[in-house]
Amino acid sequence: MAIERVAILGKGAVGLLYGSLIEKNLGPDAVEYVMDDERFCRHAGEVVTVNGEPCRIRTIPAHEAEAVDLVILAIKAPGMPEALDTMGRLVGPDTAIASLVNGVTSEERVAERFGWEHTVLSVAQGMDAVFIGGELTFSHTGEIRLGAAPETAAGVVERVADLYERAGIPHVVEEDIRRRMWVKLMLNVGINQVCIVYGGTYGTASAPESEQNRCYVAAMREALAVARAEGVDVTEADLMQMAQLIASLDPNGMPSMAQDRINEKPTEVEEFSGTICRLAERHGILVPTNQWLYRRIRELEVGFGIAR
């Protein structure tokens, strides 16, 4: 059964980027944004633009939502509890679920609530989307990598990939998606955290022999060591590929955490250095760069007035 109706939770950079592609190629009836009722009221009347054009995709409150064919989670990790509650009205017996939440734990939380049968593992990478002040800009759409968990039912990944194909969303079906998720985590541990701490961009973090670049690579190498201790075959070649990917992006662009600094929003630090530090302790691995980045990001959040 082909996927015809998509609901996206998360109207930030990633959600707007991929939602706009679905709307452009499949029409406005194919996709909608769904918010919990409180958030919907808070954002009522806001005008959002995508590369200068008003977003034409409808947004509905959770109490009006009905089951759809595919739910895409494009939220930040701190919003998972509310998102899982909102999903309750969207998930029917045959609803596929794809999480684009950063880190390597969101699908487990989804499956605890809705089961693994229709849950696919996913990462979004390579986009240069920036969302500040209600304006999304991007020149690179990036791509979604997806694959099956051991308990994912046959055909679910193929249904989601077919939707992405029809919607014009670049994607790759991975044989070993868990490895790809760890490669993306390694990248985020470096580029996201260094850019928020230093107030940097893709360009400043990629500058050869700079302090930001040294910190960025060191953080990734620590994540690589932890991945291997977890039994995931992440390699130096993967690190080099990710560094080249970042260097190919708009040098003035910035990852989501750097945008959190500008917008003074809660960050995904627990999904990044928080995960690396916890697992490193379990395996007896030293991760001083990630420990330092974790402390600095927590200090920044205190300055934002975010209670922890």
Side-chain angles (χ1 to χ4, degrees):
M1 181 178 65
I3 292 171
E4 302 294 344
R5 295 184 60 226
V6 181
I8 300 177
L9 276 68
K11 202 174 177 182
V14 174
L16 283 168
L17 192 162
Y18 291 124
S20 68
L21 291 178
I22 296 172
E23 188 270 338
K24 175 183 176 182
N25 292 295
L26 297 181
D29 293 333
V31 60
E32 63 191 13
Y33 294 106
V34 181
M35 294 181 177
D36 64 78
D37 290 2
E38 180 184 353
R39 185 181 299 272
F40 179 84
C41 292
R42 194 163 66 243
H43 292 277
E46 288 185 354
V47 177
V48 173
T49 62
V50 178
N51 281 343
E53 296 292 328
C55 177
R56 293 180 292 270
I57 302 169
R58 71 174 186 148
T59 302
I60 64 172
H63 77 270
E64 294 182 8
E66 298 177 349
V68 294
D69 300 323
L70 171 64
V71 174
I72 297 176
L73 273 174
I75 60 165
K76 295 288 188 67
M80 278 294 291
E82 294 84 0
L84 291 171
D85 289 341
T86 299
M87 284 173 62
R89 297 183 63 90
L90 296 166
V91 177
D94 298 311
T95 302
I97 304 171
S99 173
L100 303 181
V101 179
N102 283 320
V104 293
T105 65
S106 67
E107 283 89 353
E108 293 179 2
R109 298 173 70 180
V110 168
E112 286 175 2
R113 181 76 68 92
F114 301 104
W116 278 109
E117 185 178 5
H118 298 292
T119 302
V120 301
L121 303 175
S122 307
V123 294
Q125 64 182 41
M127 71 286 295
D128 60 358
V130 175
F131 184 56
I132 297 174
E135 299 179 357
L136 173 72
T137 57
F138 68 90
S139 56
H140 294 269
T141 61
E143 63 181 4
I144 295 175
R145 301 289 184 101
L146 69 155
E151 301 89 349
T152 304
V156 176
V157 169
E158 289 74 16
R159 288 178 64 215
V160 176
D162 173 70
L163 179 280
Y164 292 158
E165 183 70 25
R166 289 184 286 119
I169 297 174
H171 63 282
V172 176
V173 175
E174 295 270 359
E175 288 293 327
D176 187 355
I177 186 61
R178 183 166 179 257
R179 178 180 181 278
R180 176 53 53 185
M181 292 171 73
W182 266 94
V183 171
K184 175 68 184 299
L185 176 61
M186 174 181 68
L187 173 64
N188 279 331
V189 160
I191 191 64
N192 262 287
Q193 298 192 131
V194 165
C195 282
I196 186 175
V197 166
Y198 286 91
T201 65
Y202 295 132
T204 60
S206 298
E209 300 184 15
S210 66
E211 180 179 346
Q212 289 185 44
N213 188 251
R214 290 194 298 272
C215 187
Y216 157 48
V217 173
M220 287 199 293
R221 285 218 169 92
E222 292 175 0
L224 186 157
V226 171
R228 297 188 69 83
E230 284 284 295
V232 184
D233 187 25
V234 180
T235 68
E236 188 71 19
D238 294 317
L239 190 155
M240 178 65 74
Q241 183 184 47
M242 292 298 99
Q244 290 171 342
L245 172 66
I246 294 301
S248 73
L249 300 177
D250 178 358
N252 295 315
M254 64 186 74
S256 59
M257 259 193 171
Q259 297 170 52
D260 292 337
R261 179 170 180 159
I262 294 170
N263 295 320
E264 297 193 347
K265 298 288 188 181
T267 75
E268 295 180 299
V269 66
E270 286 297 339
E271 302 301 314
F272 298 160
S273 53
T275 296
I276 297 304
C277 291
R278 286 191 297 274
L279 293 176
E281 184 176 6
R282 179 190 303 171
H283 293 292
I285 298 171
L286 295 175
V287 289
T289 304
N290 275 281
Q291 289 173 333
W292 178 75
L293 287 167
Y294 183 90
R295 289 194 300 271
R296 287 290 298 117
I297 294 166
R298 284 295 189 221
E299 289 168 1
L300 287 170
E301 288 186 326
V302 171
F304 302 161
I306 297 170
R308 289 287 179 179

